[in-house]
Amino acid sequence: MDTFTVTFWGVRGSRPTPQFSHFRYGGNTSCVEVNAGGQTIILDAGSGLADLSHSLACRARQAGERVDAVLLFSHLHHDHTQGLPFFYPAFNPRNRIHLFGPDLTGDGFPHDIQAVIMPPYFPLSMKAMAGVCGVQDFLPGHVLLLGGGLPAPLLRSKEARPVSGEEDMVRVEGLFSREHPNDVLYYRIGYRGRSLVYASDREPEAVRGIGAFSRFAHRADLLIHDAQFTEAHYFGLQPDMPCTKGWGHSYTKMACQAALAAGARRLALTHYDPHYDDATVDEIGRRAQSWYDGAQLAYEGLHIDLMQSAPAPRVPRPDYRYSELETQPAGA
Ligand SMILES: [Zn+2]
């Protein structure tokens, strides 16, 4: 099945913003649906996951199938997890949902994710999620394989021998980073010679090691990148707004520079500041276009078909290490 599509269900950072003035881009927090080779991958579980949840359940019912999905968490800040308690396919034992995320505390992702859904903060705990078949750390030095006849997602060491038929599978890699408070994991999803990189929360000037990200995102067909702030806001030059340097997010030009440094074919800006109305986001888009003509503004409902364009030329990707930035903390 030669499909590789991306649909945005939440493009807002920090908190949901349901105001009418934010309607065109949408007020839900981070959630992106990827369909590749018949596999459903969900990047982050912000408030946009609640609407995706309904859509997945409807599509499965109409097709007479169960919901099969893999949720990949970049980190555990509220704007990336607050939709999880409302992901009702996970409560249906007929479905098969797998969760993966980074170990950000040393206690492991399976331990840490439980705090998102437990009394007294929510009536139910993860034990009620009968459709969840597995919760795993996205381990350093591993690659996640999906589809191609595998009965379940397979996380294998990059050092291990390739599994049979791996070239037909969806391949997910991770890059651990300290470019966001409490750390973050970026994802690269590859299928049939196309690739996308998801980096929704990132402030590249906060640490050294920018080269690792450029290598990780090298020649991606689509880079989904943090563009939370305007430059004036970031540097504290906007009236009544604080300086946000060091908060772990990019301003528009930083996102464009990241795309140019990586040689990404297209750039989708996301994670807009919740204060920004549609006119402000429009202006972010105009500025982005002046720096990088492959830039576009993500909005709720934006659908991108990565199979519609020819694959990027096959150039060997430089090496990167999952934990490269781990050895270069901020201020080092
Ligand atoms: Zn965020």
Side-chain angles (χ1 to χ4, degrees), residues 110-128:
H111 170 272
D112 296 338
I113 191 67
Q114 293 180 55
V116 171
I117 168 169
M118 65 160 58
Y121 313 106
F122 194 73
L124 303 172
S125 73
M126 280 200 68
K127 286 186 185 140

Side-chain angles (χ1 to χ4, degrees), residues 14 75 79-80 201 249 271:
S14 306
H75 64 306
D79 52 331
H80 299 259
D201 292 57
H249 295 289
H271 207 279

